[in-house]
Amino acid sequence: LPLWSYRRHGNNLTKKPSKTLIEKAKNLSKFTSNIKKNTYCIIPFRGNSDEKSSIIFRRIKKKIIIDKIIEEALNSKRIEKLIISSPNYNFLKKIKNKYKNVAIHLRKKNEILENTDFKESIIKYFSKKKKPDILVILNVEFPLIKNIFIDKAINKLIYHNYKKIISVE
């Protein structure tokens, strides 16, 4: 005997995976919206500011990748403070001029090498500043990130009381 029945029609969410993800994100935010967490986001950039060689200056649909990522982070409902971290002072200066509400973090040159952990640099950055409850790291290698999914990862972390989450959706 069937234990349940499932009616399919043209408007089912299961036929539209991206809509399903968005609806799940919205539902999760309903459960966590009253929980306040001090959330900061860091976007690390390890390369130089050469617009010909760096991925962050390439365009997707006429929009420069770094601008796209910054704007999605700024549109997040959960992120209070956005920090761009780079060893390139000129790049950081341009970012600060373009985005007044973005903080900058100048890293040491030896922290730009591949597979180099910049955890100590972040700890040093927060040593004299207010420390966040949650720290989000957005990588420039994933330029199609949307603010709703940034918020979903943060809400999932809060809801399940996780210490760390790596979002791959």
Side-chain angles (χ1 to χ4, degrees), residues 106-117:
L106 184 64
R107 292 199 326 257
K108 293 178 183 172
K109 295 277 185 206
N110 64 346
E111 294 170 337
I112 67 169
L113 303 171
E114 286 292 325
N115 301 319
T116 303
D117 188 4

Side-chain angles (χ1 to χ4, degrees), residues 68-155:
K68 191 172 179 352
I69 296 168
I70 289 171
E71 288 166 15
E72 290 297 330
L74 290 173
N75 288 327
S76 164
K77 292 178 180 155
R78 280 287 185 183
I79 294 172
E80 280 179 45
K81 183 175 185 175
L82 178 60
I83 305 148
I84 308 298
S85 178
S86 173
N88 186 303
Y89 177 76
N90 292 328
F91 168 73
L92 291 175
K93 200 166 132 183
K94 285 180 189 176
I95 291 292
K96 191 66 181 159
N97 287 335
K98 189 170 187 175
Y99 300 98
K100 303 296 180 204
N101 54 345
V102 171
I104 57 172
H105 169 233
L106 184 64
R107 292 199 326 257
K108 293 178 183 172
K109 295 277 185 206
N110 64 346
E111 294 170 337
I112 67 169
L113 303 171
E114 286 292 325
N115 301 319
T116 303
D117 188 4
F118 66 97
K119 184 169 81 174
E120 291 302 318
S121 184
I122 293 171
I123 291 168
K124 193 174 185 181
Y125 174 81
F126 286 115
S127 67
K128 295 178 183 158
K129 295 176 177 25
K130 184 179 175 185
K131 291 166 187 56
D133 298 320
I134 298 171
L135 181 62
V136 175
I137 299 173
L138 288 179
N139 291 315
V140 295
E141 288 85 5
F142 304 99
L144 301 177
I145 189 75
K146 297 278 185 215
N147 63 58
I148 192 164
F149 300 119
I150 296 168
D151 289 341
K152 181 182 177 188
I154 296 166
N155 288 331

